[in-house]
Amino acid sequence: GEDDEATLTITPAPQATADLFLTMIEDNPAPDVRDTIAITLPLGNDGPDTATGIQVLSDLPGQLTYLSHSGGTFNSATGIWDIASLNSGATSNLVINARVEINGSINVIGQVMQSQQIDPDSIPGNSNSGEDDYANIQINPKSADLRLFMTPDQPTVTDGETVDLVLTTPNA
């Protein structure tokens, strides 16, 4: 053959994979308005490799007011939880404490937004609720149906006569 030809075969290095999964747990799915609730986000890594550069989004909806958190670096303004690394087989937990502000159904969503490793069964940040890196909970604050009834202590009254009024508030 000719002496100006060569063959080069490049074999890419195998990419690290980390199968991240996220769940959410609320300590009280039916709180009263103004109650404080705790929302726990367990993030796990089914491996086989260590996950690094992880970001999880858990942005609280307007019906909840952020109070505090524990278990990691969390920016309450952006809803981003940063996890530097998570070993294969390990779990990390973020607990967010929030106050319920209004009645009505409240949906809280969490999802893995970023990881430096490939996740074999989900795509970070794609908002696909069918993937294991996405989780949500439904909180349904209790509501009270209060009514106020005012009844005089006597059926008829003459001008200048004192009347006692009885106030009742049944919770229907």
Side-chain angles (χ1 to χ4, degrees):
E2 295 185 32
D3 62 357
D4 62 348
E5 291 182 16
T7 303
L8 175 65
T9 304
I10 299 174
T11 305
Q15 288 191 296
T17 59
D19 184 6
L20 299 175
F21 61 92
L22 181 69
T23 55
M24 289 182 106
I25 306 159
E26 76 285 323
D27 70 338
N28 184 356
D32 290 320
V33 172
R34 308 299 291 168
D35 275 358
T36 297
I37 60 170
I39 300 168
T40 303
L41 290 90
L43 174 69
N45 180 3
D46 277 340
D49 297 307
T50 296
T52 59
I54 308 159
Q55 287 190 333
V56 175
L57 175 67
S58 182
D59 195 15
L60 296 179
Q63 302 99 320
L64 299 174
T65 297
Y66 169 84
L67 299 174
S68 65
H69 72 276
S70 61
T73 303
F74 178 70
N75 182 327
S76 63
T78 63
I80 296 291
W81 172 29
D82 284 302
I83 303 103
S85 68
L86 188 62
N87 292 334
S88 178
T91 300
S92 184
N93 292 304
L94 174 69
V95 179
I96 301 172
N97 297 299
R99 184 177 53 245
V100 178
E101 298 297 347
I102 65 169
N103 282 330
S105 183
I106 302 169
N107 190 35
V108 182
I109 296 170
Q111 72 173 312
V112 174
M113 298 300 288
Q114 177 179 309
S115 174
Q116 292 178 349
Q117 288 66 40
I118 293 173
D119 190 320
D121 62 5
S122 56
I123 299 169
N126 69 348
S127 300
N128 184 338
S129 62
E131 294 181 353
D132 66 351
D133 70 342
Y134 181 100
N136 72 312
I137 54 170
Q138 198 74 28
I139 300 168
N140 295 296
K142 296 179 224 168
S143 62
D145 184 8
L146 297 176
R147 297 181 184 154
L148 178 63
F149 296 99
M150 184 168 53
T151 312
D153 66 345
Q154 47 188 310
T156 56
V157 181
T158 57
D159 192 19
E161 189 174 358
T162 301
V163 177
D164 289 327
L165 298 175
V166 177
L167 301 174
T168 56
T169 57
N171 187 0

